[in-house]
Amino acid sequence: MKTLIKNGTIVNNGQKFKGHILIDGDTIIYAGTDLPENQSYTQIIDAENKFVLPGVIDEHVHFREPGLTHKADFETESRAAIAGGVTSFMDMPNVNPQTTTNQLLNERIELASEKSLANFAFYLGATNNNIDEIRKADTRKVCGIKVFMGSSTGNMLVDEQNMLESIFEESPCVVAVHCEDEQIIKANLELYRSKYGDNVLPAHHPLIRTAEACYKSTAKAVELATKHNTRLHIAHLSTAKELEFFSTAPLSEKQITAETCPHYLYFDSQDYDKFGYRIKCNPAIKNEEDKLALIAALNSGKIDTIATDHAPHLPSEKFGETYFKSASGMPTIQHSLIVMLELCKKGLLNIETIVRKMCHAPANLYRIEKRGYLNAGYKADITIVDFNQPQTITTDNILYKCKWTPFENQTFNSTVTHTFVNGNLVYRNGEFVSEEKGKALIFER
């Protein structure tokens, strides 16, 4: 099957130009300014006045399967992802059972291959007692080792120093870390509970899960990585203070890198009064100065990737009567790209930077085989966006299983019109036109 995408504004490798892309099967065979001649096409997509981007790679999601499928599952959330231009995701291990063995990881790969419309990969979760599983991880299959160096559920909080030393010394691939200091958070939580009882407010969240808690934990992770020469990636960076640990060197030269999320770039602490528990997440959304510093760090190169930390909860779990009964996390993957393009509209980021942080850098950082670029020979994961087609987010067009998002009732100026996965047109103008399943990502290590 041959597909021609013609007349689009292609954004790739730091360049933006009007051109054409030719897909043969699951592979891009041409991307350039000259319209290929003497070709017969199965389908032609005219992308005039639209941006043609590599499919977004979301390196940090919680799709909740197995074990928590009342909130979300591979089918529902992958559909939401594709409607948002996300063609590949990397899923975290805090499901049920937790993905802390290679057997369980392989079982998740099999399950996703039967249900997910997007491409997929999974993290192996670290615990205080599974170093043998980490040692024998298949680096072609595993995207990374996830370490919770802060509050978590079950036994996934890694707080034993000797275990942390072993993980950082022996991990065969990227170590991705959630950094918040457990003791600082516990002390703050008790302080606010004693002061306010059940009347702790959403606005108190960043005063409980503070910048200090993030900074102390990130400092510890960076110290361990420096000691052991670990390939370290700090997840969901939320503060200006932590930026001192990261450099503006090219990604290819870094051993320590950082990710941030659209909600840290779009919301700030002034928004808790309006959005309440809808924007309660861990780490907490901080103040406006932090938000602006994170945006500047994306532009300077200190922050390397943008991912969602997509974390659905049912309304009954999220909108509890008190702070203590409200789950942390929010569903955002369907809207992450258009939120970032809104920042582009405001002049805070350019579209080349957005593509670099959401498509190129995840592929490079994790060494994903032949994805993340619109280059000949790469898999045809492609997103087409109309930069001037506004949309209002409503319950009717939200595809998350939980049926809510913090972006509900807001209007954004861009719309994803087409999404290709492995050369297959899956989504077109608001409709799914294929049920072809995605593929397991392969890592070149």
Side-chain angles (χ1 to χ4, degrees):
M1 184 172 182
K2 282 190 176 180
T3 298
L4 175 67
I5 301 172
K6 67 177 185 178
N7 302 324
T9 301
I10 296 170
V11 185
N12 191 45
N13 280 315
Q15 297 182 314
K16 183 171 63 178
F17 60 91
K18 187 167 184 176
H20 320 280
I21 294 175
L22 181 57
I23 303 166
D24 191 351
D26 66 355
T27 303
I28 297 169
I29 61 172
Y30 174 80
T33 56
D34 298 325
L35 189 64
E37 297 179 357
N38 303 319
Q39 298 276 353
S40 58
Y41 307 109
T42 311
Q43 64 181 340
I44 299 174
I45 307 292
D46 191 348
E48 186 78 43
N49 298 321
K50 296 182 177 71
F51 284 115
V52 183
L53 317 176
V56 171
I57 300 171
D58 193 333
E59 69 194 50
H60 187 163
V61 307
H62 301 267
F63 278 6
R64 306 301 193 195
E65 191 162 1
L68 302 168
T69 53
H70 65 287
K71 302 174 191 271
D73 59 53
F74 290 139
E75 181 180 359
T76 59
E77 307 314 284
S78 69
R79 294 173 84 86
I82 284 171
V86 178
T87 55
S88 298
F89 64 87
M90 302 183 203
D91 204 340
M92 290 296 171
N94 50 334
V95 287
N96 186 19
Q98 295 165 341
T99 316
T100 56
T101 70
N102 289 284
Q103 179 180 338
L104 288 170
L105 186 136
N106 288 331
E107 289 174 7
R108 291 190 81 192
I109 290 173
E110 287 301 314
L111 190 57
S113 70
E114 298 168 1
K115 299 185 68 173
S116 176
L117 297 186
N119 304 314
F120 50 86
F122 299 95
Y123 290 85
L124 182 65
T127 72
N128 281 323
N129 53 23
N130 74 336
I131 189 62
D132 288 341
E133 292 290 334
I134 292 170
R135 289 183 184 122
K136 63 185 183 184
D138 184 342
T139 57
R140 295 273 288 173
K141 288 184 179 180
V142 175
C143 52
I145 308 300
K146 179 60 184 286
V147 182
F148 288 91
M149 289 178 64
S151 293
S152 182
T153 55
N155 69 336
M156 294 199 71
L157 174 61
V158 183
D159 55 2
E160 294 182 6
Q161 185 65 29
N162 62 340
M163 184 58 188
L164 286 169
E165 296 278 358
S166 296
I167 293 168
F168 277 74
E169 182 178 7
E170 300 187 55
S171 174
C173 53
V174 176
V175 174
V177 180
H178 178 133
C179 287
E180 290 184 286
D181 184 79
E182 175 79 355
Q183 299 308 312
I184 290 175
I185 293 167
K186 280 185 176 180
N188 290 337
L189 194 59
E190 288 310 307
L191 174 65
Y192 276 80
R193 191 193 296 269
S194 66
K195 195 171 183 180
Y196 296 99
D198 282 343
N199 295 318
V200 175
L201 300 174
H204 293 139
H205 194 52
L207 305 176
I208 293 168
R209 305 187 81 96
T210 58
E212 179 192 6
C214 296
Y215 182 88
K216 183 177 179 180
S217 186
T218 296
K220 183 175 182 179
V222 169
E223 180 183 6
L224 283 165
T226 303
K227 176 181 177 181
H228 296 292
N229 197 32
T230 312
R231 183 65 187 82
L232 173 66
H233 191 51
I234 303 294
H236 42 46
L237 203 72
S238 64
T239 77
K241 191 173 183 181
E242 292 167 279
L243 291 170
E244 71 179 60
F245 295 114
F246 306 100
S247 100
T248 58
L251 177 59
S252 60
E253 298 176 9
K254 293 184 182 183
Q255 277 293 100
I256 298 172
T257 51
E259 155 202 303
T260 194
C261 308
H263 46 271
Y264 299 123
L265 309 170
Y266 188 78
F267 299 111
D268 60 52
S269 57
Q270 300 173 73
D271 293 309
Y272 283 106
D273 288 342
K274 179 178 180 181
F275 294 98
Y277 294 132
R278 285 179 175 268
I279 60 170
K280 183 187 178 206
C281 59
N282 302 337
I285 291 166
K286 308 298 195 299
N287 60 36
E288 184 180 23
E289 290 75 17
D290 291 298
K291 177 177 72 175
L292 295 176
L294 295 172
I295 292 170
L298 284 167
N299 285 314
S300 71
K302 276 196 168 187
I303 295 179
D304 304 281
T305 62
I306 300 168
T308 60
D309 192 12
H310 175 80
H313 298 285
L314 293 186
S316 59
E317 300 165 320
K318 185 66 177 172
F319 308 122
E321 294 178 2
T322 70
Y323 174 88
F324 306 101
K325 293 182 179 179
S326 170
S328 289
M330 63 184 82
T332 54
I333 199 169
Q334 184 182 345
H335 307 104
S336 59
L337 179 57
I338 63 168
V339 168
M340 296 310 303
L341 292 175
E342 203 68 15
L343 299 186
C344 182
K345 283 273 188 182
K346 293 177 180 179
L348 298 172
L349 295 164
N350 63 41
I351 195 166
E352 295 92 336
T353 298
I354 292 169
V355 167
R356 187 179 307 115
K357 306 299 181 179
M358 300 184 82
C359 310
H360 300 340
N364 294 341
L365 194 156
Y366 287 88
R367 301 184 182 179
I368 304 172
E369 184 177 81
K370 295 188 181 303
R371 298 191 191 273
Y373 289 83
L374 300 177
N375 293 345
Y378 276 59
K379 298 297 182 184
D381 297 338
I382 300 171
T383 296
I384 303 177
V385 178
D386 190 330
F387 202 47
N388 297 297
Q389 182 179 329
Q391 61 171 303
T392 300
I393 311 306
T394 68
T395 304
D396 291 339
N397 55 37
I398 292 170
L399 298 180
Y400 312 128
K401 193 172 192 177
C402 64
K403 297 301 289 182
W404 70 273
T405 175
F407 304 117
E408 194 170 348
N409 299 320
Q410 297 180 63
T411 298
F412 296 92
N413 288 292
S414 303
T415 295
V416 173
T417 61
H418 300 72
T419 307
F420 288 81
V421 182
N422 300 309
N424 185 44
L425 180 60
V426 178
Y427 180 81
R428 179 180 59 207
N429 296 323
E431 295 184 354
F432 289 87
V433 293
S434 171
E435 296 296 322
E436 186 78 18
K437 301 302 184 280
K439 304 294 184 184
L441 298 177
I442 297 171
F443 302 92
E444 296 182 308
R445 301 174 178 139

